[in-house]
Amino acid sequence: MARRRASQFLAGYCCSKSRSVVRRPPLCSQEPASISAPGLSHTHGKATSMFKPPLKLHWKLSSQTSCDIMQVHYSRTYGIHQRSFTSAAINIQRNPSFSKLNSDDICYFKSMLGDKNVVQDEDRLSAANVDWMRKYKGSSQLLLLPRNTEEVSKILRHCNSRRLAIVPQGGKTGLVGGSVPVYDEVIISLASMDKIISLDKGISPFTIQHSSFSVNGILICEAGCILENLNSFLANEGFIMPLDLGAKGSCQIGGNVSTNAGGLHFIRYGSLHGNILGLEVVLADGTVLDMLGTLRKDNTGYDLKHLFIGSEGSLGIVTKVSILTPPKLLSTNLALLACKDFLSCQKLLLEAKRELGEVISAFEFMDSGSMDMVLAHMDGVRNPFQSSLYDFYVLIETTGSDESYDKAKLEAFLLRSMEGGLILDGAVAQDINQASSFWQIREGMSEATVKAGAVYKYDLSLPVENFYDIVGEMRARLGEKAKVVGYGHLGDGNLHLNILTTQYDNNILAQIEPFVYEWTSTHRGSISAEHGLGLMKADKIHYSKSPETVQLMASIKKLLDPNGILNPYKVLPQSMLQ
Amino acid sequence: MARRRASQFLAGYCCSKSRSVVRRPPLCSQEPASISAPGLSHTHGKATSMFKPPLKLHWKLSSQTSCDIMQVHYSRTYGIHQRSFTSAAINIQRNPSFSKLNSDDICYFKSMLGDKNVVQDEDRLSAANVDWMRKYKGSSQLLLLPRNTEEVSKILRHCNSRRLAIVPQGGKTGLVGGSVPVYDEVIISLASMDKIISLDKGISPFTIQHSSFSVNGILICEAGCILENLNSFLANEGFIMPLDLGAKGSCQIGGNVSTNAGGLHFIRYGSLHGNILGLEVVLADGTVLDMLGTLRKDNTGYDLKHLFIGSEGSLGIVTKVSILTPPKLLSTNLALLACKDFLSCQKLLLEAKRELGEVISAFEFMDSGSMDMVLAHMDGVRNPFQSSLYDFYVLIETTGSDESYDKAKLEAFLLRSMEGGLILDGAVAQDINQASSFWQIREGMSEATVKAGAVYKYDLSLPVENFYDIVGEMRARLGEKAKVVGYGHLGDGNLHLNILTTQYDNNILAQIEPFVYEWTSTHRGSISAEHGLGLMKADKIHYSKSPETVQLMASIKKLLDPNGILNPYKVLPQSMLQ
């Protein structure tokens, strides 16, 4: 680990890796010239590759999403602190208008999908009924594995005519109970629909200096493709996915779209609403909506694909995705920095936006408690600094097209920030292993909280100036009863507030909720920044949306899914849909 | 004008301007060191500021949108070649379910808005009834000028209850007849709602080196704000609007949102779907939908604002806008380049995306005929090259945070491109005047086509590899009867196809349409990239959207506007709404 004291850490980092197809040799030599920082001592760092590794450990269940593998993993890792929010616990009654599954339904599905794609095995069903945290648990008796859009369409047409409720299921990495049944909904897994259909690479081959670069980067794939697999595929073609999240090894692109996933690179590439070019969606009645455009601009009528981005499978099932993928740029740099207070983190963000502007690709934030937790509970994660913990940490990644310039930009920025007192200590990744270990710290947070005990998780969007206040207020409120930590995407104003206790306790919950929602609403924040509402917060939507807006949502839900069979009990309050 | 032959043009450009608030002196001196291009002779260019000027000439009618000013301008400039597509010409019958305006309606509006905001003056109505090109002309008897959301709400509540059709009107700079009445729709102008409500600048002031930089850049304003005025306001605060278009001097942000305007910086900042954070919208029945969020991330329920982005005022009237504005970066460079063929332009785009990646902010394209036309018809526009015309031109703008690095990046890119034979000739703007003159060429195109004669305008989204083929095919099809030119946003695959004739002729039109739509559909393009469908292409939507998708659009239109009073006859085929 390349870790240096404040007076040293800026010297001698170089963190770029050339892609497999390059036109010129990497500018970054094995022993780069040291960088002169006025008044600072110098060291030379070893310069090797520093791309984030293709495999991440955390949240990664398996690149296969088969339910039995998950189950084994669950029981090994998360067997201690569980609270299953079955339907009884969440105080929602089964919608009496839904039918119960019968043998004719099973026969129909088997005739259409084949026996092996109609799963009634108890173990596999058990795994598919429970979420990643073992917090939400349904009692579905049927898991279907369609292989193509036509089969999804036939399933929905049948279920709609029979009033059988369904839940679409992707990688099941959500945190709000959106992807598992509440009662006996039929589970429709998209795992078998994992084909990459095309990558529009634009004109090729070219004869200027290199031969296989491509320009458009428009990827079309099926909804069941795992995010990490897509990224690996794209990397070989000179592109990257515009989103990256800790769950990349399990989450599916259809689920990413349906939950409008944010993640680590949101600050650079923005929302999926800006990156998704087209979708294929199957509506509740089986109608296939072909909106699978591949154009950056298309102003012909209402842009309906946006209705399905973030609607958590309650308006239709996403079956294919067309997405604009950015070029994989030549140089990446990663710095882990320690700050003395939250205001310094804020200032650092402000400075980074101004000075690193177009190359900044991540700006992540962790407090002392978060760091402590991940060091304690995640195997192989080490403190990058020799000292004890600092109060606050920031992880800054830059990605650009020219490594010498980008490196110099980051260097100048870090120098100024250190001289200005914003940074107490820091380390810049020297190679792919160090970069990986930095990312492991940040990406291991969510899993560490689950391992650490009973955890209440909140995903808040807040104005940057109020970003960390809720952590202090919650600590004051809960006292010794709980450990309150905060981390998240400071660059996007997205705080992951985690409240850890020894065991789940309704008295503690009553001290947290509705306070956390009211506080967020008062500060004009959002009670779900990037996780969605799912089952957890379906009846909390009014904290973030006006009554008229929620009413229109309900009207649209009724228009698109008049029988209410799609992912029931989620997203919107049940009272508005009956 | 800094214009050099191919062997010279790379030397000595420097094109950045420091903002009024800077932390260090500009790196760019008045006489920068010349840049060595191996094997090339060198010259030294004068280096001064090069931001695009705050005022642009083209499309700019006035910073006031008052109708009488427009009318004078129209009659002076565009008096020669007109075809008014009145309702008779476009073969649409007035919807018989709409009421006719009566004296009680006028009384109500006067009591609510005051006499001066209820316009019945013939001249002002005449101007408000006709579009910028004088191509579309309605016969409205009433122009209303609400001053706030509540008044818009009351107007719509009244009109909906009386079944009075309305057309919302912004800067009226559209090209598809979307913003003027077809029959006697009441015109609701947003021109009086032009207040900037807030700019969330984040934490300030700071004590590190500078004091007034801000970080968030979230602008909230009323829908009637003129784009250029917003940009001027933001420039003083260190931000820019994420969109820029030739019509900036007249177009209003509400119209930009309602038409999902694209423009010159789309390649950098992307679609408004990615930049708009929130909207306030008044529905047909007067309901005010408060979706005026200011958060980058908010996954609480369906993201309904997207329904109103690009729906051309047919689902609701946008009254307030919350938009994420990017930081105004320190350095801007602008190069006008000549290429020998379209393939070279394509290759140049590919190279620019790879090599300039994160700093590229515009990649515009013009063919020889476009350049010829703008030189012939626009006052003050000069050929930047001494030679006669080249076949193709590309305008590349870069914007970054560090002028020395960014300049070097562009320099290296241009050197390589020239050595590789992609560029025949080029000029790099040396100061703000030269930059302005380059932009005048590109931004003057649309007005030049109108001045040049009768023009058929098409706004196509096409795969880059087919981008220019339609120009050749159309030339072959029309022969001597018309001049066919192409220009547009190559970086986004958006071609503006312009067909110029001496006068409008239905025989020529029959040779153009439906061929141009069929061709576009065959090549998986869009018949409206950034202009919308409006009246011009409402019944052409099926060339770009599937029947099921259009059907759902119609269902949503009926849900939100059951009486169909909002901007009737536009966007969707009338046959689907009755």
Side-chain angles (χ1 to χ4, degrees), chain B residues 314-348:
Chain B
S314 67
L315 295 180
I317 297 183
V318 173
T319 46
K320 292 194 185 87
V321 173
S322 165
I323 185 166
L324 184 68
T325 68
K328 184 178 173 184
L329 299 176
L330 283 166
S331 86
T332 300
N333 294 277
L334 187 64
L336 182 61
L337 311 169
C339 301
K340 73 172 190 292
D341 52 26
F342 181 69
L343 188 61
S344 296
C345 301
Q346 279 181 278
K347 289 177 178 177
L348 204 60

Side-chain angles (χ1 to χ4, degrees), chain A residues 277-394:
Chain A
L277 298 180
L279 294 178
E280 180 189 77
V281 175
V282 182
L283 300 180
D285 65 359
T287 299
V288 177
L289 222 52
D290 176 4
M291 307 174 292
L292 203 59
T294 56
L295 303 164
R296 286 212 70 185
K297 290 178 168 180
D298 178 17
N299 281 356
T300 51
Y302 313 148
D303 202 346
L304 296 184
K305 66 174 177 280
H306 295 286
L307 266 184
F308 302 94
I309 299 173
S311 60
E312 305 183 50
S314 67
L315 296 179
I317 297 182
V318 172
T319 45
K320 292 194 185 87
V321 173
S322 164
I323 187 166
L324 184 68
T325 68
K328 184 179 174 184
L329 298 176
L330 282 166
S331 87
T332 301
N333 294 277
L334 187 65
L336 183 61
L337 311 170
C339 301
K340 74 173 189 292
D341 52 25
F342 181 68
L343 188 61
S344 297
C345 301
Q346 280 182 279
K347 289 177 178 177
L348 205 60
L349 171 62
L350 177 147
E351 296 293 315
K353 281 195 177 179
R354 288 286 173 197
E355 294 188 33
L356 301 176
E358 66 284 2
V359 292
I360 196 165
S361 52
F363 195 103
E364 297 294 305
F365 161 83
M366 300 159 271
D367 66 7
S368 173
S370 307
M371 179 66 90
D372 188 33
M373 192 180 53
V374 79
L375 293 175
H377 296 284
M378 298 303 292
D379 294 340
V381 175
R382 289 168 300 168
N383 185 350
F385 303 110
Q386 284 166 359
S387 73
S388 58
L389 294 180
Y390 290 100
D391 285 343
F392 294 95
Y393 298 88
V394 164

Side-chain angles (χ1 to χ4, degrees), chain A residues 58-114:
Chain A
H58 316 302
W59 279 39
K60 185 174 184 302
L61 305 178
S62 161
S63 62
Q64 302 297 315
T65 54
S66 82
C67 304
D68 42 2
I69 292 175
M70 285 190 197
Q71 191 189 34
V72 172
H73 197 95
Y74 285 146
S75 56
R76 191 177 66 234
T77 313
Y78 313 111
I80 305 169
H81 303 280
Q82 300 174 10
R83 61 166 175 179
S84 283
F85 276 152
T86 60
S87 46
I90 55 163
N91 200 26
I92 288 178
Q93 297 306 306
R94 183 180 183 279
N95 184 335
S97 76
F98 293 148
S99 304
K100 298 262 187 183
L101 202 65
N102 65 30
S103 57
D104 287 347
D105 299 317
I106 304 290
C107 282
Y108 171 75
F109 291 132
K110 285 187 172 174
S111 72
M112 195 250 295
L113 300 171

